[in-house]
Amino acid sequence: MHPLAAIAVKDLRLLARDRAGFFFTLIFPVVFAVFFGMIFAGGGSGSGIAVAVVDEDRTPGSAAFIERLRSAPEFAVDTDIASAPIQFEQARDLVRRGRAAALVVLPKGFASGSSSPLLGSGPAIKLGVDPSRAAEAGLIEGALTRYAFERLTTIFSDAGSARSELDRARSALQTLGFFAPERRAAFENLFSSIDRVVETAPDAAAPDPQAPSADQPAAQGFSPVRIERVDVRRERRGPANSFAVTFAQGILWGVAGCAAAFGLSLVVERSRGTLVRLRTAPINWWQILVGKMLACFVATLAVGLLLLVIARVAFDVQPVAPALLALALLCVSFCFVGIMLLLAVIGRTESSAGSIGWAVILVMMMLGGGTIPIFLMPAWMQSLSSVSPVKWGILALEGGLWRDLSLAEMAKPCLILAAVGALGIAAGAALFRRTDAA
């Protein structure tokens, strides 16, 4: 057997016998990917429908209605982006990107239109929902109508507010010239009747138990609000499921585990005299390093491929670009081979090598999105994450898994990974030659 192959096979056998190394190179990445994939898959199930609300009216009445929606169990309301009120185009973009299920616009005149139901039409609300979510659209529209009924109930339960709204309706009736005289008279009689009802109404704190609730409006066919649909369609981008995201992270954990295990094995061979015996054999020092790098490269590829098979078979993660995914996995493996070699020659004892190796790997993982996805990090940390090869490894793997990046778009993360690997190999080989191959 060729010396390089013999050294590689020897290291692979040692890794297979190392229970701790086997756990962190295979079992832990699978557990990580499945656990966080299940968490992300179930995210938001109990917080209501995400709704972006645009308040173009900017009145106390519209603000009160938004607060009612915010407290409603059906909705998770967002009205601000970076502490600034959401604008219409921003709300539409949130729906298109899947960050919100719907947009609700309270147009100018929303609050002043509260008297319009007395003249036959309620205030307008614009609603935008992706057409593929028809069931949610019906639920949202029904909830908006319900809380508009509650708003009317609140207004007319207070005598002062009710009279104010009646006076406003009478004024509006005088300015509208398209009503026939007999219909105008009918409205005047209606307003007078409501005025008498308000004067004799019981305390609002003790409602009539026989009165219809907001869920069962008394006036069939009457709506206290007009819902106007807005065209908005979600752009179908992103991973098919959460496991496409977490398995990319899991692969990085598996590859990093391999790097840590093989780096430590070189230190163990040094401390236990195995490296001295290898140097007395008829092989060169660079063959020792290349053999170990070959074993690490094969192990990282095997771990990555096994995790991809598990993701495909068990969690229906289908790569959108298998060829680019293979390129990404090769670059990731090469990168961590270089990191492995550099970590192996920095630590001189088993304890120091293990501590330094895992400390460096954990920092790279935390900065690069191996623990928390980068888009959830604060802005300053997102900028800092670029120094971690983990970020570029995850980006390259996601490019083949679900991002559907082009070859040109894959060039940057792949070149960065290759450059890190080459620098690690060059620096590690130089240090090894100076300290161990002399």
Side-chain angles (χ1 to χ4, degrees):
M1 182 181 293
H2 194 279
L4 295 181
I7 294 174
V9 170
K10 179 263 297 180
D11 284 327
L12 290 173
R13 287 178 176 174
L14 291 176
L15 177 64
R17 296 172 185 173
D18 183 4
R19 295 181 179 179
F22 183 79
F23 173 81
F24 281 104
T25 56
L26 182 61
I27 306 301
F28 175 76
V30 174
V31 172
F32 176 92
V34 173
F35 179 74
F36 284 97
M38 294 177 66
I39 290 178
F40 295 148
S45 59
S47 59
I49 302 173
V51 177
V53 178
V54 181
D55 185 6
E56 296 180 347
D57 195 34
R58 305 288 180 85
T59 61
S62 63
F65 187 71
I66 291 175
E67 286 303 315
R68 182 64 188 93
L69 297 182
R70 198 186 298 276
S71 63
E74 297 94 338
F75 299 128
V77 175
D78 189 3
T79 59
D80 300 287
I81 295 180
S83 301
I86 292 179
Q87 304 301 314
F88 177 77
E89 289 302 326
Q90 293 174 317
R92 176 178 283 181
D93 188 55
L94 289 175
V95 177
R96 284 175 174 170
R97 291 188 288 115
R99 301 289 297 276
L103 65 89
V104 174
V105 181
L106 305 184
K108 291 183 178 180
F110 171 81
S112 61
S114 61
S115 60
S116 297
L118 297 177
L119 298 176
S121 63
I125 292 180
K126 296 180 181 179
L127 173 63
V129 187
D130 181 7
S132 66
R133 309 178 73 163
E136 289 177 313
L139 177 61
I140 295 170
E141 188 168 335
L144 290 174
T145 303
R146 171 187 174 184
Y147 295 121
F149 264 112
E150 288 188 359
R151 183 168 179 269
L152 282 180
T153 302
T154 302
I155 290 174
F156 285 98
S157 64
D158 178 73
S161 298
R163 289 192 180 94
S164 176
E165 296 300 332
L166 285 170
D167 292 340
R168 187 181 303 175
R170 287 190 174 98
S171 299
L173 183 62
Q174 298 300 322
T175 60
L176 297 175
F178 54 81
F179 281 128
E182 58 273 13
R183 191 174 184 189
R184 188 185 302 274
F187 273 117
E188 289 287 358
N189 291 333
L190 172 63
F191 297 159
S192 298
S193 298
I194 295 176
D195 206 358
R196 289 193 296 271
V197 170
V198 170
E199 291 178 355
T200 59
D203 188 356
D208 184 358
Q210 301 300 322
S213 66
D215 295 316
Q216 298 173 327
Q220 298 297 324
F222 168 75
S223 176
V225 67
R226 290 180 290 112
I227 306 294
E228 299 177 358
R229 290 298 184 94
V230 178
D231 181 39
V232 59
R233 187 179 298 273
R234 180 178 176 182
E235 297 177 356
R236 300 300 169 185
R237 297 180 180 178
N241 57 49
S242 60
F243 296 102
V245 176
T246 57
F247 264 90
Q249 296 173 301
I251 291 173
L252 264 295
W253 276 107
V255 170
C258 284
F262 279 98
L264 184 59
S265 70
L266 184 59
V267 179
V268 171
E269 290 176 352
R270 180 192 298 119
S271 63
R272 298 182 183 180
T274 305
L275 188 59
V276 175
R277 292 193 293 271
L278 287 174
R279 287 171 54 195
T280 61
I283 56 176
N284 296 319
W285 64 268
W286 61 266
Q287 291 178 309
I288 297 174
L289 292 187
V290 173
K292 188 168 292 291
M293 289 189 294
L294 178 61
C296 182
F297 187 74
V298 171
T300 54
L301 283 180
V303 169
L305 289 173
L306 182 57
L307 287 171
L308 288 174
V309 170
I310 294 174
R312 175 67 181 89
V313 174
F315 302 99
D316 196 30
V317 176
Q318 303 183 35
V320 296
L324 293 181
L325 179 60
L327 173 64
L329 187 56
L330 288 171
C331 292
V332 168
S333 297
F334 180 75
C335 173
F336 275 85
V337 166
I339 292 173
M340 176 275 300
L341 186 59
L342 185 58
L343 294 178
V345 297
I346 291 177
R348 305 306 300 175
T349 65
E350 295 180 31
S351 60
S352 65
S355 300
I356 293 173
W358 275 110
V360 171
I361 288 173
L362 287 175
V363 171
M364 289 192 302
M365 283 291 177
M366 288 187 291
L367 283 179
T371 53
I372 301 174
I374 291 178
F375 69 87
L376 295 177
M377 296 178 178
W380 66 268
M381 188 173 289
Q382 291 185 26
S383 301
L384 188 61
S385 66
S386 296
V387 304
S388 172
V390 173
K391 171 185 176 177
W392 305 108
I394 291 177
L395 179 59
L397 291 172
E398 290 180 345
L401 276 174
W402 58 268
R403 290 185 183 273
D404 197 17
L405 300 182
S406 66
L407 183 59
E409 292 171 325
M410 287 283 286
K412 180 178 179 179
C414 288
L415 287 175
I416 290 176
L417 291 170
V420 172
L423 289 174
I425 292 173
L431 289 173
F432 180 82
R433 184 178 183 181
R434 188 175 65 184
T435 59
D436 293 282

